[in-house]
Amino acid sequence: MTESELRAADGRVPGRRGRATRSRLLECTAEMLATTSLRDLKVIDIAREASTSPATFYQYFPDVESAILVLAEEMAVSTNALAQHVRAANWKGKGGYESALALTDRFIEFWEQYRPVLRVVDLATGEGDRRFNQIRSRMLNEVTVALSDAVRLAQPKPRGDEPLDPMATAGVLVAMLANVASHRYGFEFWGIRTGDARRSMAHLIYWGVTGQRPPV
Amino acid sequence: MTESELRAADGRVPGRRGRATRSRLLECTAEMLATTSLRDLKVIDIAREASTSPATFYQYFPDVESAILVLAEEMAVSTNALAQHVRAANWKGKGGYESALALTDRFIEFWEQYRPVLRVVDLATGEGDRRFNQIRSRMLNEVTVALSDAVRLAQPKPRGDEPLDPMATAGVLVAMLANVASHRYGFEFWGIRTGDARRSMAHLIYWGVTGQRPPV
DNA sequence: TGTACATCAGTGAACGCGCGTTCACTGATGTAC
DNA sequence: TGTACATCAGTGAACGCGCGTTCACTGATGTAC
Protein backbone atom coordinates (compact mmCIF):
# COMPACT_ATOMS: atom_id res chain seq x y z
CA MET A 1 0.00 0.00 0.00
CA THR A 2 3.03 2.25 0.38
CA GLU A 3 3.30 2.36 -3.38
CA SER A 4 0.17 4.02 -4.69
CA GLU A 5 1.78 4.17 -8.13
CA LEU A 6 -0.40 4.44 -11.17
CA ARG A 7 -0.57 1.08 -12.91
CA ALA A 8 -1.80 0.10 -16.30
CA ALA A 9 -4.12 -2.89 -16.62
CA ASP A 10 -1.30 -5.31 -17.34
CA GLY A 11 0.84 -4.11 -14.46
CA ARG A 12 3.11 -1.77 -16.39
CA VAL A 13 4.07 1.47 -14.70
CA PRO A 14 3.15 4.18 -17.18
CA GLY A 15 5.83 6.64 -18.16
CA ARG A 16 5.49 10.12 -19.56
CA ARG A 17 3.89 9.00 -22.79
CA GLY A 18 1.45 6.67 -21.10
CA ARG A 19 0.31 9.26 -18.62
CA ALA A 20 -0.24 11.71 -21.45
CA THR A 21 -2.48 9.23 -23.22
CA ARG A 22 -4.36 8.55 -20.05
CA SER A 23 -5.12 12.21 -19.43
CA ARG A 24 -6.06 12.67 -23.08
CA LEU A 25 -8.61 9.92 -22.58
CA LEU A 26 -9.91 11.68 -19.48
CA GLU A 27 -10.25 14.94 -21.34
CA CYS A 28 -12.14 13.31 -24.16
CA THR A 29 -14.39 11.54 -21.71
CA ALA A 30 -15.26 14.88 -20.13
CA GLU A 31 -15.81 16.51 -23.48
CA MET A 32 -18.04 13.82 -24.82
CA LEU A 33 -20.02 13.71 -21.61
CA ALA A 34 -21.08 17.27 -22.30
CA THR A 35 -23.01 16.18 -25.36
CA THR A 36 -23.75 12.52 -24.73
CA SER A 37 -25.70 10.70 -22.09
CA LEU A 38 -23.82 8.28 -19.91
CA ARG A 39 -25.87 5.54 -21.45
CA ASP A 40 -24.63 6.38 -24.91
CA LEU A 41 -21.03 7.06 -24.01
CA LYS A 42 -19.08 4.10 -25.39
CA VAL A 43 -15.47 3.15 -24.88
CA ILE A 44 -15.01 2.93 -28.62
CA ASP A 45 -16.15 6.50 -29.14
CA ILE A 46 -13.97 7.92 -26.41
CA ALA A 47 -10.99 6.07 -27.83
CA ARG A 48 -11.71 7.28 -31.33
CA GLU A 49 -12.07 10.82 -30.07
CA ALA A 50 -8.70 10.57 -28.38
CA SER A 51 -7.36 9.10 -31.63
CA THR A 52 -6.41 5.85 -30.06
CA SER A 53 -7.95 2.40 -29.76
CA PRO A 54 -10.35 0.81 -27.31
CA ALA A 55 -7.62 -1.55 -26.19
CA THR A 56 -5.66 1.45 -25.01
CA PHE A 57 -8.60 2.72 -23.03
CA TYR A 58 -8.74 -0.55 -21.15
CA GLN A 59 -5.07 -0.16 -20.40
CA TYR A 60 -5.95 2.75 -18.11
CA PHE A 61 -9.55 2.30 -17.03
CA PRO A 62 -11.66 -0.79 -16.46
CA ASP A 63 -14.72 0.97 -17.83
CA VAL A 64 -16.27 4.34 -18.62
CA GLU A 65 -17.65 4.90 -15.14
CA SER A 66 -14.20 4.52 -13.65
CA ALA A 67 -12.86 7.23 -15.90
CA ILE A 68 -15.66 9.53 -14.85
CA LEU A 69 -14.94 8.66 -11.26
CA VAL A 70 -11.46 10.09 -11.73
CA LEU A 71 -12.94 13.25 -13.21
CA ALA A 72 -15.31 13.47 -10.27
CA GLU A 73 -12.46 13.20 -7.84
CA GLU A 74 -10.63 16.00 -9.56
CA MET A 75 -13.77 18.09 -9.32
CA ALA A 76 -14.22 17.28 -5.65
CA VAL A 77 -10.77 18.65 -4.93
CA SER A 78 -11.58 21.95 -6.51
CA THR A 79 -14.56 22.53 -4.25
CA ASN A 80 -12.18 23.73 -1.58
CA ALA A 81 -12.16 27.02 -3.46
CA LEU A 82 -15.85 27.33 -2.68
CA ALA A 83 -15.28 26.46 0.94
CA GLN A 84 -12.48 28.97 1.27
CA HIS A 85 -14.67 31.57 -0.27
CA VAL A 86 -17.26 30.92 2.40
CA ARG A 87 -14.67 31.07 5.16
CA ALA A 88 -13.22 34.31 3.89
CA ALA A 89 -16.61 35.97 3.66
CA ASN A 90 -17.83 38.67 5.98
CA TRP A 91 -21.42 38.21 7.08
CA LYS A 92 -22.12 41.48 8.84
CA GLY A 93 -24.39 44.17 7.48
CA LYS A 94 -24.35 45.16 3.84
CA GLY A 95 -21.15 43.24 3.30
CA GLY A 96 -22.99 40.13 4.40
CA TYR A 97 -25.51 40.49 1.65
CA GLU A 98 -22.73 40.99 -0.86
CA SER A 99 -21.15 37.81 0.42
CA ALA A 100 -24.39 35.95 -0.10
CA LEU A 101 -24.63 37.22 -3.67
CA ALA A 102 -21.03 36.29 -4.35
CA LEU A 103 -21.50 32.81 -2.94
CA THR A 104 -24.50 32.33 -5.18
CA ASP A 105 -22.47 33.33 -8.19
CA ARG A 106 -19.57 31.10 -7.31
CA PHE A 107 -21.85 28.16 -6.91
CA ILE A 108 -23.49 28.69 -10.23
CA GLU A 109 -20.16 29.08 -11.96
CA PHE A 110 -18.89 25.93 -10.36
CA TRP A 111 -21.93 23.99 -11.44
CA GLU A 112 -21.69 25.32 -14.92
CA GLN A 113 -18.10 24.29 -15.18
CA TYR A 114 -18.65 20.73 -14.03
CA ARG A 115 -22.19 20.20 -15.20
CA PRO A 116 -21.59 16.99 -17.17
CA VAL A 117 -19.64 15.31 -14.41
CA LEU A 118 -22.09 16.46 -11.77
CA ARG A 119 -24.87 14.94 -13.81
CA VAL A 120 -23.25 11.56 -13.55
CA VAL A 121 -22.42 12.01 -9.88
CA ASP A 122 -26.04 12.75 -9.11
CA LEU A 123 -27.31 9.96 -11.26
CA ALA A 124 -24.99 7.37 -9.76
CA THR A 125 -25.66 8.64 -6.25
CA GLY A 126 -29.37 8.31 -6.86
CA GLU A 127 -28.84 4.75 -7.96
CA GLY A 128 -26.98 3.96 -4.79
CA ASP A 129 -23.44 3.84 -6.13
CA ARG A 130 -21.16 4.09 -3.13
CA ARG A 131 -18.10 5.54 -4.77
CA PHE A 132 -19.93 8.43 -6.37
CA ASN A 133 -22.00 8.92 -3.28
CA GLN A 134 -18.87 9.35 -1.19
CA ILE A 135 -17.43 11.85 -3.60
CA ARG A 136 -20.63 13.83 -3.53
CA SER A 137 -20.77 13.83 0.22
CA ARG A 138 -17.13 14.78 0.61
CA MET A 139 -17.29 17.56 -1.90
CA LEU A 140 -20.38 19.22 -0.50
CA ASN A 141 -19.35 18.58 3.06
CA GLU A 142 -16.49 21.01 3.02
CA VAL A 143 -18.64 23.91 1.86
CA THR A 144 -21.43 22.95 4.18
CA VAL A 145 -19.20 22.81 7.20
CA ALA A 146 -17.68 26.16 6.30
CA LEU A 147 -21.14 27.63 5.95
CA SER A 148 -22.30 26.09 9.20
CA ASP A 149 -19.43 27.82 10.96
CA ALA A 150 -20.60 31.08 9.51
CA VAL A 151 -24.10 30.35 10.78
CA ARG A 152 -22.78 29.53 14.22
CA LEU A 153 -20.91 32.82 14.42
CA ALA A 154 -23.43 35.14 12.85
CA GLN A 155 -26.58 33.74 14.41
CA PRO A 156 -27.98 35.87 17.22
CA LYS A 157 -28.32 34.23 20.61
CA PRO A 158 -31.54 32.28 20.78
CA ARG A 159 -34.34 34.51 21.96
CA GLY A 160 -37.06 32.02 22.42
CA ASP A 161 -36.73 28.28 22.43
CA GLU A 162 -34.02 26.14 20.90
CA PRO A 163 -32.00 27.60 18.03
CA LEU A 164 -31.70 25.95 14.66
CA ASP A 165 -28.96 23.44 14.11
CA PRO A 166 -26.27 25.31 12.12
CA MET A 167 -25.21 22.29 10.12
CA ALA A 168 -28.81 21.58 9.15
CA THR A 169 -29.34 25.15 8.02
CA ALA A 170 -26.10 25.12 6.09
CA GLY A 171 -27.01 21.80 4.48
CA VAL A 172 -30.39 23.09 3.41
CA LEU A 173 -28.85 26.22 1.92
CA VAL A 174 -26.29 24.21 0.02
CA ALA A 175 -29.05 21.96 -1.26
CA MET A 176 -30.86 25.04 -2.49
CA LEU A 177 -27.80 26.37 -4.26
CA ALA A 178 -27.02 23.03 -5.79
CA ASN A 179 -30.48 22.45 -7.14
CA VAL A 180 -30.97 25.91 -8.56
CA ALA A 181 -27.54 25.76 -10.13
CA SER A 182 -28.26 22.47 -11.79
CA HIS A 183 -31.69 23.43 -13.07
CA ARG A 184 -31.06 26.93 -14.30
CA TYR A 185 -32.65 26.10 -17.59
CA GLY A 186 -35.87 25.13 -15.87
CA PHE A 187 -36.00 28.54 -14.22
CA GLU A 188 -35.66 30.35 -17.49
CA PHE A 189 -38.36 28.14 -18.89
CA TRP A 190 -40.71 29.47 -16.20
CA GLY A 191 -39.82 33.01 -17.11
CA ILE A 192 -37.75 33.59 -13.99
CA ARG A 193 -34.83 35.83 -14.74
CA THR A 194 -31.42 34.74 -13.57
CA GLY A 195 -30.98 38.02 -11.72
CA ASP A 196 -34.17 37.51 -9.77
CA ALA A 197 -33.32 33.98 -8.79
CA ARG A 198 -29.90 35.20 -7.75
CA ARG A 199 -31.34 37.83 -5.45
CA SER A 200 -33.87 35.46 -3.93
CA MET A 201 -31.12 33.01 -3.15
CA ALA A 202 -28.92 35.68 -1.65
CA HIS A 203 -31.79 36.78 0.56
CA LEU A 204 -32.41 33.28 1.79
CA ILE A 205 -28.74 32.71 2.42
CA TYR A 206 -28.50 35.92 4.37
CA TRP A 207 -31.54 35.00 6.40
CA GLY A 208 -30.27 31.53 7.02
CA VAL A 209 -26.81 32.60 8.04
CA THR A 210 -27.53 35.70 10.09
CA GLY A 211 -31.10 35.16 11.20
CA GLN A 212 -31.68 38.80 10.25
CA ARG A 213 -33.60 40.49 7.51
CA PRO A 214 -31.21 41.48 4.74
CA PRO A 215 -30.45 45.20 4.29
CA VAL A 216 -32.29 45.00 0.94
CA MET B 1 -56.66 13.27 -33.43
CA THR B 2 -60.21 13.08 -32.14
CA GLU B 3 -59.62 9.47 -31.25
CA SER B 4 -56.89 9.40 -28.63
CA GLU B 5 -57.62 5.72 -28.09
CA LEU B 6 -54.96 3.52 -26.63
CA ARG B 7 -53.42 1.43 -29.36
CA ALA B 8 -51.18 -1.59 -29.25
CA ALA B 9 -48.11 -1.67 -31.46
CA ASP B 10 -49.84 -3.50 -34.27
CA GLY B 11 -52.88 -1.23 -34.27
CA ARG B 12 -55.19 -3.35 -32.17
CA VAL B 13 -57.41 -1.55 -29.71
CA PRO B 14 -56.75 -3.23 -26.37
CA GLY B 15 -59.73 -4.59 -24.48
CA ARG B 16 -60.08 -5.29 -20.81
CA ARG B 17 -57.51 -8.05 -20.78
CA GLY B 18 -54.98 -6.09 -22.77
CA ARG B 19 -55.27 -3.02 -20.58
CA ALA B 20 -54.80 -5.19 -17.52
CA THR B 21 -51.59 -6.59 -18.93
CA ARG B 22 -50.40 -3.14 -19.82
CA SER B 23 -50.88 -1.81 -16.33
CA ARG B 24 -49.29 -4.91 -14.87
CA LEU B 25 -46.25 -4.10 -16.96
CA LEU B 26 -46.28 -0.54 -15.67
CA GLU B 27 -46.47 -1.72 -12.08
CA CYS B 28 -43.58 -4.08 -12.55
CA THR B 29 -41.56 -1.36 -14.23
CA ALA B 30 -42.08 0.88 -11.22
CA GLU B 31 -41.25 -1.89 -8.79
CA MET B 32 -38.09 -2.91 -10.52
CA LEU B 33 -36.99 0.67 -10.86
CA ALA B 34 -36.85 0.87 -7.09
CA THR B 35 -34.03 -1.63 -6.99
CA THR B 36 -32.45 -1.40 -10.41
CA SER B 37 -30.73 1.39 -12.26
CA LEU B 38 -32.30 2.55 -15.49
CA ARG B 39 -29.24 1.27 -17.25
CA ASP B 40 -29.81 -2.24 -15.99
CA LEU B 41 -33.56 -2.32 -16.40
CA LYS B 42 -34.19 -4.62 -19.35
CA VAL B 43 -37.38 -5.32 -21.22
CA ILE B 44 -36.87 -9.01 -20.71
CA ASP B 45 -36.71 -8.65 -16.94
CA ILE B 46 -39.80 -6.49 -16.72
CA ALA B 47 -41.67 -8.95 -18.87
CA ARG B 48 -40.54 -11.90 -16.79
CA GLU B 49 -41.53 -10.06 -13.60
CA ALA B 50 -44.98 -9.49 -15.04
CA SER B 51 -45.02 -13.16 -16.02
CA THR B 52 -45.34 -12.43 -19.68
CA SER B 53 -42.99 -12.21 -22.64
CA PRO B 54 -40.88 -9.43 -24.12
CA ALA B 55 -42.97 -9.51 -27.25
CA THR B 56 -45.95 -8.52 -25.15
CA PHE B 57 -44.07 -5.60 -23.66
CA TYR B 58 -43.44 -4.27 -27.15
CA GLN B 59 -47.12 -4.58 -27.82
CA TYR B 60 -47.71 -1.73 -25.36
CA PHE B 61 -44.49 0.28 -25.17
CA PRO B 62 -41.78 0.96 -27.72
CA ASP B 63 -39.12 0.81 -25.00
CA VAL B 64 -38.47 1.02 -21.28
CA GLU B 65 -38.19 4.78 -21.19
CA SER B 66 -41.62 5.15 -22.70
CA ALA B 67 -43.11 3.04 -19.97
CA ILE B 68 -41.41 5.18 -17.35
CA LEU B 69 -42.69 8.25 -19.14
CA VAL B 70 -46.20 7.02 -18.50
CA LEU B 71 -45.40 6.53 -14.84
CA ALA B 72 -43.94 10.02 -14.71
CA GLU B 73 -47.08 11.46 -16.20
CA GLU B 74 -49.18 9.74 -13.58
CA MET B 75 -46.91 11.19 -10.92
CA ALA B 76 -47.12 14.66 -12.39
CA VAL B 77 -50.87 14.58 -12.09
CA SER B 78 -50.69 13.84 -8.40
CA THR B 79 -48.62 16.93 -7.67
CA ASN B 80 -51.78 18.97 -7.69
CA ALA B 81 -52.31 17.70 -4.16
CA LEU B 82 -49.15 19.54 -3.17
CA ALA B 83 -50.25 22.68 -4.95
CA GLN B 84 -53.65 22.57 -3.31
CA HIS B 85 -51.99 22.14 0.01
CA VAL B 86 -50.02 25.31 -0.60
CA ARG B 87 -53.11 27.21 -1.68
CA ALA B 88 -55.08 26.09 1.34
CA ALA B 89 -52.35 27.11 3.75
CA ASN B 90 -52.52 30.09 6.05
CA TRP B 91 -49.29 32.07 6.22
CA LYS B 92 -49.99 34.45 9.06
CA GLY B 93 -48.30 34.23 12.44
CA LYS B 94 -47.79 30.92 14.18
CA GLY B 95 -50.08 29.21 11.75
CA GLY B 96 -47.73 30.28 8.99
CA TYR B 97 -44.87 28.44 10.55
CA GLU B 98 -47.01 25.37 10.92
CA SER B 99 -47.89 25.62 7.26
CA ALA B 100 -44.20 25.74 6.38
CA LEU B 101 -43.53 22.64 8.44
CA ALA B 102 -46.46 20.84 6.89
CA LEU B 103 -45.37 21.75 3.38
CA THR B 104 -41.93 20.40 4.12
CA ASP B 105 -43.40 17.13 5.28
CA ARG B 106 -45.67 16.80 2.29
CA PHE B 107 -42.81 17.37 -0.04
CA ILE B 108 -40.64 14.78 1.59
CA GLU B 109 -43.46 12.25 1.58
CA PHE B 110 -44.13 12.90 -2.06
CA TRP B 111 -40.50 12.44 -2.96
CA GLU B 112 -40.29 9.29 -0.95
CA GLN B 113 -43.29 7.85 -2.72
CA TYR B 114 -42.04 8.54 -6.22
CA ARG B 115 -38.30 8.36 -5.62
CA PRO B 116 -37.50 5.84 -8.37
CA VAL B 117 -39.48 7.63 -11.04
CA LEU B 118 -38.15 11.01 -9.97
CA ARG B 119 -34.66 9.63 -10.29
CA VAL B 120 -35.25 8.90 -13.93
CA VAL B 121 -37.01 12.19 -14.53
CA ASP B 122 -34.04 14.08 -13.15
CA LEU B 123 -31.57 11.98 -15.01
CA ALA B 124 -33.34 12.34 -18.33
CA THR B 125 -33.89 16.04 -17.76
CA GLY B 126 -30.20 16.49 -17.08
CA GLU B 127 -29.43 14.75 -20.31
CA GLY B 128 -31.67 17.08 -22.22
CA ASP B 129 -34.61 14.79 -22.84
CA ARG B 130 -37.50 17.02 -23.83
CA ARG B 131 -40.35 14.82 -22.80
CA PHE B 132 -39.12 14.26 -19.28
CA ASN B 133 -38.06 17.87 -19.01
CA GLN B 134 -41.57 18.99 -19.82
CA ILE B 135 -43.06 16.70 -17.24
CA ARG B 136 -40.66 17.99 -14.63
CA SER B 137 -41.42 21.58 -15.45
CA ARG B 138 -45.15 21.05 -15.48
CA MET B 139 -45.21 19.15 -12.25
CA LEU B 140 -43.14 21.63 -10.28
CA ASN B 141 -44.73 24.60 -11.93
CA GLU B 142 -48.07 24.14 -10.28
CA VAL B 143 -46.62 24.11 -6.77
CA THR B 144 -44.29 26.94 -7.56
CA VAL B 145 -47.03 29.15 -8.89
CA ALA B 146 -49.17 28.40 -5.87
CA LEU B 147 -46.30 29.27 -3.60
CA SER B 148 -45.53 32.43 -5.52
CA ASP B 149 -49.11 33.55 -4.96
CA ALA B 150 -48.59 33.03 -1.26
CA VAL B 151 -45.43 35.10 -1.43
CA ARG B 152 -47.21 37.86 -3.29
CA LEU B 153 -49.94 38.04 -0.66
CA ALA B 154 -47.86 37.63 2.46
CA GLN B 155 -44.91 39.76 1.52
CA PRO B 156 -44.85 43.16 3.22
CA LYS B 157 -44.84 46.20 1.00
CA PRO B 158 -41.31 46.98 -0.18
CA ARG B 159 -39.63 49.23 2.33
CA GLY B 160 -36.47 50.05 0.50
CA ASP B 161 -35.72 49.36 -3.11
CA GLU B 162 -37.34 46.83 -5.41
CA PRO B 163 -38.98 43.77 -3.85
CA LEU B 164 -38.00 40.23 -4.69
CA ASP B 165 -39.71 38.53 -7.59
CA PRO B 166 -42.30 36.20 -5.99
CA MET B 167 -41.95 33.52 -8.65
CA ALA B 168 -38.18 33.52 -8.26
CA THR B 169 -38.43 33.16 -4.50
CA ALA B 170 -40.99 30.40 -4.85
CA GLY B 171 -38.83 28.63 -7.41
CA VAL B 172 -35.81 28.77 -5.18
CA LEU B 173 -37.79 27.41 -2.23
CA VAL B 174 -39.16 24.58 -4.30
CA ALA B 175 -35.65 23.79 -5.50
CA MET B 176 -34.56 23.62 -1.90
CA LEU B 177 -37.38 21.29 -0.93
CA ALA B 178 -36.79 19.10 -3.95
CA ASN B 179 -33.11 18.71 -3.37
CA VAL B 180 -33.31 18.05 0.34
CA ALA B 181 -36.08 15.56 -0.26
CA SER B 182 -34.10 13.68 -2.83
CA HIS B 183 -30.89 13.60 -0.82
CA ARG B 184 -32.18 12.81 2.60
CA TYR B 185 -29.72 10.03 2.92
CA GLY B 186 -26.84 12.43 2.41
CA PHE B 187 -28.06 14.54 5.28
CA GLU B 188 -28.15 11.63 7.63
CA PHE B 189 -24.67 10.73 6.50
CA TRP B 190 -23.49 14.13 7.70
CA GLY B 191 -25.10 13.59 11.04
CA ILE B 192 -27.91 16.04 10.39
CA ARG B 193 -31.09 14.86 12.02
CA THR B 194 -34.22 14.83 9.92
CA GLY B 195 -35.99 16.95 12.50
CA ASP B 196 -33.33 19.63 12.33
CA ALA B 197 -33.34 19.76 8.55
CA ARG B 198 -37.10 19.98 8.68
CA ARG B 199 -37.04 22.97 11.01
CA SER B 200 -34.37 24.75 9.00
CA MET B 201 -36.42 24.32 5.87
CA ALA B 202 -39.57 25.53 7.54
CA HIS B 203 -37.72 28.62 8.75
CA LEU B 204 -36.43 29.43 5.32
CA ILE B 205 -39.84 28.88 3.77
CA TYR B 206 -41.42 31.16 6.31
CA TRP B 207 -38.80 33.81 5.68
CA GLY B 208 -39.14 33.47 1.97
CA VAL B 209 -42.90 33.63 1.95
CA THR B 210 -43.58 36.26 4.58
CA GLY B 211 -40.37 38.24 4.66
CA GLN B 212 -40.64 38.08 8.44
CA ARG B 213 -38.71 36.31 11.12
CA PRO B 214 -40.57 33.14 12.12
CA PRO B 215 -42.22 33.08 15.57
CA VAL B 216 -39.66 30.39 16.56
C1' DT C 1 -78.07 -22.15 -24.81
C1' DG C 2 -75.01 -23.47 -28.35
C1' DT C 3 -72.19 -22.95 -32.34
C1' DA C 4 -69.15 -20.33 -35.66
C1' DC C 5 -66.43 -16.66 -36.65
C1' DA C 6 -63.88 -12.49 -35.77
C1' DT C 7 -60.89 -10.16 -33.23
C1' DC C 8 -58.02 -9.62 -29.22
C1' DA C 9 -53.96 -11.20 -26.72
C1' DG C 10 -49.88 -13.55 -25.91
C1' DT C 11 -45.55 -15.92 -27.08
C1' DG C 12 -41.49 -19.19 -28.62
C1' DA C 13 -37.89 -18.96 -30.97
C1' DA C 14 -34.76 -16.94 -33.66
C1' DC C 15 -32.00 -13.30 -35.95
C1' DG C 16 -28.53 -10.03 -35.78
C1' DC C 17 -26.50 -5.83 -34.27
C1' DG C 18 -23.49 -3.57 -31.36
C1' DC C 19 -20.49 -3.37 -28.09
C1' DG C 20 -17.24 -4.95 -24.39
C1' DT C 21 -13.20 -7.15 -24.06
C1' DT C 22 -8.93 -9.59 -25.13
C1' DC C 23 -4.58 -11.22 -27.14
C1' DA C 24 -0.80 -11.63 -29.84
C1' DC C 25 1.60 -8.61 -32.13
C1' DT C 26 4.19 -4.10 -33.89
C1' DG C 27 6.14 0.18 -32.91
C1' DA C 28 8.25 3.82 -29.72
C1' DT C 29 11.16 5.20 -26.14
C1' DG C 30 14.61 4.88 -22.95
C1' DT C 31 19.19 3.44 -21.23
C1' DA C 32 23.63 1.11 -20.65
C1' DC C 33 28.19 0.84 -22.34
C1' DT D 1 27.89 9.40 -30.56
C1' DG D 2 26.34 4.93 -31.74
C1' DT D 3 24.56 0.40 -31.05
C1' DA D 4 21.83 -3.29 -28.57
C1' DC D 5 18.48 -4.55 -25.51
C1' DA D 6 14.71 -3.87 -22.29
C1' DT D 7 10.68 -2.03 -21.34
C1' DC D 8 6.85 0.97 -22.33
C1' DA D 9 2.92 1.92 -25.31
C1' DG D 10 -0.39 1.15 -28.67
C1' DT D 11 -3.43 -1.56 -31.68
C1' DG D 12 -5.89 -4.67 -35.43
C1' DA D 13 -8.75 -7.88 -35.54
C1' DA D 14 -11.60 -11.03 -33.78
C1' DC D 15 -14.64 -13.47 -30.50
C1' DG D 16 -18.84 -13.83 -28.26
C1' DC D 17 -22.31 -12.37 -25.12
C1' DG D 18 -26.43 -10.13 -24.31
C1' DC D 19 -30.03 -7.87 -25.53
C1' DG D 20 -33.53 -5.53 -28.58
C1' DT D 21 -36.70 -6.70 -31.69
C1' DT D 22 -39.70 -9.29 -34.79
C1' DC D 23 -42.76 -12.68 -36.95
C1' DA D 24 -45.53 -16.36 -37.66
C1' DC D 25 -48.08 -18.79 -34.90
C1' DT D 26 -51.37 -20.58 -30.89
C1' DG D 27 -54.66 -19.55 -27.53
C1' DA D 28 -58.43 -16.62 -25.31
C1' DT D 29 -62.34 -13.85 -25.48
C1' DG D 30 -66.20 -11.82 -27.31
C1' DT D 31 -70.39 -11.68 -30.20
C1' DA D 32 -73.92 -12.70 -33.65
C1' DC D 33 -77.63 -15.62 -34.69
Side-chain angles (χ1 to χ4, degrees), chain B residues 110-156:
Chain B
F110 184 89
W111 241 254
E112 211 54 67
Q113 186 179 355
Y114 292 105
R115 181 175 299 279
V117 176
L118 281 163
R119 219 179 59 209
V120 177
V121 171
D122 275 353
L123 147 63
T125 297
E127 285 172 353
D129 184 298
R130 282 231 182 157
R131 303 164 304 168
F132 281 104
N133 201 345
Q134 279 187 9
I135 290 185
R136 204 194 120 92
S137 288
R138 244 198 301 131
M139 90 177 232
L140 291 182
N141 188 61
E142 204 183 345
V143 203
T144 307
V145 167
L147 195 59
S148 78
D149 288 338
V151 172
R152 208 168 284 115
L153 289 172
Q155 204 76 211

Side-chain angles (χ1 to χ4, degrees), chain B residues 145-176:
Chain B
V145 167
L147 195 59
S148 78
D149 288 338
V151 172
R152 208 168 284 115
L153 289 172
Q155 204 76 211
K157 289 294 158 223
R159 312 165 301 155
D161 323 42
E162 355 149 43
L164 293 179
D165 177 53
M167 190 64 185
T169 299
V172 168
L173 288 173
V174 168
M176 175 190 82

Side-chain angles (χ1 to χ4, degrees), chain A residues 40 123 134:
Chain A
D40 296 334
L123 147 62
Q134 279 187 9

Side-chain angles (χ1 to χ4, degrees), chain A residues 90-133:
Chain A
N90 155 38
W91 293 100
K92 306 207 162 156
K94 282 233 166 173
Y97 187 67
E98 296 300 327
S99 295
L101 276 173
L103 178 58
T104 302
D105 293 339
R106 293 290 180 101
F107 237 88
I108 288 177
E109 282 161 22
F110 184 90
W111 241 253
E112 211 55 64
Q113 185 179 355
Y114 292 106
R115 179 174 300 279
V117 176
L118 281 163
R119 220 179 59 210
V120 177
V121 171
D122 275 354
L123 147 62
T125 297
E127 284 172 354
D129 184 297
R130 282 231 182 157
R131 303 164 304 167
F132 280 103
N133 202 344

Side-chain angles (χ1 to χ4, degrees), chain B residues 12 14-15 18 21 52-53 56 60:
Chain B
R12 299 164 181 165
T21 303
T52 183
S53 74
T56 299
Y60 301 105

